[in-house]
Amino acid sequence: MTNTLCLSLITLITLFISLTPTLIKSDEGIDVFLPISLNLTVLTDPFSISAASHDFGNITDENPGAVLCPSSTTEVARLLRFANGGFSYNKGSTSPASTFKVAARGQGHSLRGQASAPGGVVVNMTCLAMAAKPAAVVISADGTYADVAAGTMWVDVLKAAVDRGVSPVTWTDYLYLSVGGTLSNAGIGGQTFRHGPQISNVHELDVITGKGEMMTCSPKLNPELFYGVLGGLGQFGIITRARIALDHAPTRVKWSRILYSDFSAFKRDQERLISMTNDLGVDFLEGQLMMSNGFVDTSFFPLSDQTRVASLVNDHRIIYVLEVAKYYDRTTLPIIDQVIDTLSRTLGFAPGFMFVQDVPYFDFLNRVRNEEDKLRSLGLWEVPHPWLNIFVPGSRIQDFHDGVINGLLLNQTSTSGVTLFYPTNRNKWNNRMSTMTSDEDVFYVIGLLQSAGGSQNWQELENLNDKVIQFCENSGIKIKEYLMHYTRKEDWVKHFGPKWDDFLRKKIMFDPKRLLSPGQDIFN
């Protein structure tokens, strides 16, 4: 459906529902009406409610009372001011309104209902991005930053930036996520070891706090809000604009997948590569596991080598895939052969199992889109995704590997999805931000990205996740979960550790009635 058609349908629905106030539920379960005088684009049709009730995880189903499709940031501010103590029309009389929950939703790629607002109002941030077009992404005259509407997808930021010969420096693997959504978590991927997460590459934000205040913030202007919101899980405000750092955009990428049968060599080479900062260092580094009890995807490799790769996996039961990339353009072309030669001579991979592709920069960053298309064609995209993402201290990664990978994953009858396994540098993260990482200088990003397709039950995969967490706890491996969903206060206090008191203080300061992002289950 085109954006124009979407906006036309929204206009028709809005005209229809504007004849009567919209009914939602307060925190106390009391009926609350959003009066017509608020002049909000509020949707209550079954399609809008259903779309906002579930997410990519396909595990939870929480119906909001309404969906706000704002045409301006002032609509969002009006909604939040009303939620903080406006007036409702109840049985013909005007009375103080009870508070109700509000959640911002971008592309809905949360896993356990983190962007839900049961009985309350979900703010569809893509509406703001559409309303802002063609100015949803504005590149500065000198090309050093982009002002981006928070509901904009990263793929659209990429398209607008590369047209000007510039680009953000750090990305998530999947680009069809909203800017505001990833900045509310961290935004991690294969460039994080070099440039930090996406939240480390933001100059300025426009935020609407839980009190309905519209504020601009940066490291120097309202810094408490700025650092709190970045990685703050939507608890302090709704991001409406982000100023993203840009740099020169390369044009092409040497993209390599290098196979290891020995974990120690895989670990050693990964950690050495993320320590290199000179021109011969790589620009992207991730790792994956190929296991004989799972689907072995050989599509990256030349057709003539695919059988050989599959046999290597079957022979060793597990193969470690080092995925690296080096960006280049006309000016840096002379060093590319030197980089590839250095990798081939110095890394301890299985002989004969280094494979290199040369692809356009955009295609490399958008590589997961092809995987999505494959899964959609097989009916395996819109299925439950009980994913587990954790940060593991580098000093304990061998213990984690032996206990979880060898001890749990390889002993499953079958595995599904992708297992990510790669290190990053903690000094690229700003500790003033809300996101929590491991305390060690080098920690590993582990993603058990399993999908409950076919006959597999998502609860079985969730039980496996619980076993992984329990193993780490029993072994004294101090992990931090990413994209987590806790339901007990003590788990959140443990997660934030020394930051908890400051996190709570900011909640009281910017969202004292605890209206925002109830789906995170932090303050409910």
Side-chain angles (χ1 to χ4, degrees):
M1 187 180 292
T2 66
N3 289 343
T4 301
L5 181 56
C6 285
L7 287 172
S8 298
L9 290 175
I10 289 168
T11 301
L12 290 172
I13 293 169
T14 304
L15 288 172
F16 175 75
I17 66 173
S18 64
L19 299 175
T20 57
T22 300
L23 175 67
I24 59 176
K25 289 288 184 183
S26 74
D27 293 343
E28 301 80 19
I30 301 169
D31 289 349
V32 175
F33 290 91
L34 298 180
I36 299 171
S37 59
L38 281 178
N39 193 25
L40 300 176
T41 313
V42 180
L43 309 178
T44 57
D45 61 286
F47 175 80
S48 297
I49 296 299
S50 176
S53 68
H54 60 273
D55 54 24
F56 177 72
N58 269 308
I59 292 173
T60 61
D61 193 350
E62 299 283 2
N63 284 346
V67 177
L68 176 66
C69 187
S71 59
S72 68
T73 56
T74 57
E75 284 193 41
V76 182
R78 275 203 303 274
L79 173 73
L80 283 166
R81 286 196 295 269
F82 179 78
N84 271 275
F87 289 86
S88 64
Y89 293 89
N90 193 357
K91 296 182 179 180
S93 62
T94 302
S95 59
S98 298
T99 59
F100 54 88
K101 302 299 187 187
V102 177
R105 176 188 171 102
Q107 292 299 309
H109 265 257
S110 54
L111 299 174
R112 296 297 294 265
Q114 287 96 328
S116 65
V121 179
V122 168
V123 181
N124 185 341
M125 299 301 291
T126 62
C127 294
L128 277 179
M130 286 194 294
K133 284 186 175 179
V137 182
V138 178
I139 310 296
S140 65
D142 62 1
T144 59
Y145 66 83
D147 282 323
V148 183
T152 306
M153 291 188 295
W154 281 103
V155 68
D156 292 323
V157 178
L158 176 61
K159 290 174 182 176
V162 295
D163 282 347
R164 288 278 306 276
V166 291
S167 171
V169 295
T170 190
W171 300 91
T172 52
D173 291 330
Y174 184 65
L175 300 184
Y176 294 78
L177 307 173
S178 69
V179 169
T182 64
L183 296 183
S184 295
N185 289 280
I188 59 175
Q191 303 88 358
T192 303
F193 79 93
R194 181 178 287 273
H195 299 288
Q198 290 177 320
I199 56 173
S200 292
N201 294 275
V202 179
H203 295 316
E204 184 179 275
L205 298 170
D206 284 344
V207 175
I208 302 174
T209 71
K211 296 186 287 187
E213 300 169 326
M214 302 173 70
M215 301 177 67
T216 297
C217 55
S218 69
K220 294 183 178 179
L221 178 66
N222 301 311
E224 284 207 292
L225 180 62
F226 179 76
Y227 290 116
V229 165
L230 292 171
L233 307 176
Q235 293 303 305
F236 313 122
I238 295 176
I239 301 170
T240 59
R241 177 189 64 91
R243 178 165 289 181
I244 307 297
L246 302 177
D247 203 345
H248 170 74
T251 56
R252 298 197 66 83
V253 176
K254 288 289 186 181
W255 177 18
S256 304
R257 287 189 179 175
I258 307 167
L259 309 188
Y260 291 71
S261 59
D262 179 70
F263 176 70
S264 295
F266 173 68
K267 170 183 175 297
R268 180 182 63 249
D269 285 351
Q270 281 193 317
E271 293 186 12
R272 183 171 69 84
L273 287 173
I274 69 166
S275 71
M276 295 175 62
T277 58
N278 59 28
D279 290 342
L280 296 181
V282 297
D283 297 301
F284 171 99
L285 183 146
E286 288 189 0
Q288 296 184 23
L289 307 184
M290 299 173 71
M291 291 179 282
S292 58
N293 61 344
F295 173 67
V296 179
D297 182 5
T298 60
S299 58
F300 176 90
F301 310 105
L303 187 61
S304 58
D305 289 301
Q306 291 180 5
T307 300
R308 198 163 62 94
V309 170
S311 296
L312 188 71
V313 177
N314 287 330
D315 290 345
H316 292 275
R317 295 190 67 205
I318 181 169
I319 288 297
Y320 311 93
V321 183
L322 172 60
E323 185 171 23
V324 295
K326 183 67 178 177
Y327 307 154
Y328 72 98
D329 54 22
R330 187 179 305 171
T331 60
T332 53
L333 179 60
I335 70 167
I336 288 300
D337 289 342
Q338 186 179 352
V339 171
I340 300 301
D341 178 65
T342 299
L343 293 176
S344 65
R345 287 188 298 100
T346 61
L347 299 182
F349 57 92
F353 285 93
M354 177 177 175
F355 303 91
V356 183
Q357 292 186 13
D358 191 300
V359 297
Y361 179 65
F362 180 91
D363 292 355
F364 171 73
L365 293 178
N366 198 36
R367 64 198 179 281
V368 178
R369 186 66 161 185
N370 292 330
E371 301 303 317
E372 176 187 352
D373 291 341
K374 290 179 191 175
L375 292 172
R376 284 190 183 278
S377 68
L378 297 172
L380 296 175
W381 183 258
E382 294 180 356
V383 298
H385 297 99
W387 288 3
L388 176 64
N389 296 275
I390 56 178
F391 299 150
V392 179
S395 66
R396 300 299 307 276
I397 199 63
Q398 182 72 55
D399 297 327
F400 179 89
H401 170 269
D402 294 346
V404 172
I405 306 304
N406 283 340
L408 291 175
L409 294 189
L410 275 179
N411 288 325
Q412 298 294 303
T413 303
S414 64
T415 61
S416 61
V418 175
T419 300
L420 299 178
F421 201 114
Y422 61 93
T424 193
N425 295 310
R426 185 172 179 266
N427 64 5
K428 299 298 182 179
W429 297 67
N430 189 324
N431 196 48
R432 295 181 67 183
M433 297 173 185
S434 294
T435 302
M436 297 299 299
T437 69
S438 169
D439 292 335
E440 295 192 2
D441 292 340
V442 172
F443 63 91
Y444 276 72
V445 176
I446 309 296
L448 306 183
L449 312 184
Q450 303 199 78
S451 302
S455 61
Q456 200 156 27
N457 191 307
W458 73 263
Q459 284 95 344
E460 294 176 7
L461 299 177
E462 188 75 352
N463 289 339
L464 176 61
N465 293 341
D466 291 340
K467 290 178 182 178
V468 172
I469 294 171
Q470 191 61 53
F471 169 82
C472 293
E473 180 134 343
N474 293 344
S475 303
I477 302 175
K478 296 180 179 180
I479 63 172
K480 287 294 180 184
E481 290 192 47
Y482 178 65
L483 306 179
M484 58 284 169
H485 184 262
Y486 301 122
T487 57
R488 301 187 309 164
K489 178 182 176 181
E490 51 264 42
D491 290 330
W492 282 110
V493 173
K494 179 181 177 182
H495 171 78
F496 283 108
K499 290 186 182 180
W500 171 254
D501 287 343
D502 189 57
F503 196 84
L504 177 59
R505 182 181 61 81
K506 288 177 180 176
K507 184 70 171 178
I508 295 169
M509 181 185 302
F510 298 114
D511 184 26
K513 296 190 177 179
R514 302 182 177 187
L515 308 182
L516 291 173
S517 296
Q520 295 283 359
D521 272 340
I522 302 177
F523 296 104
N524 293 353

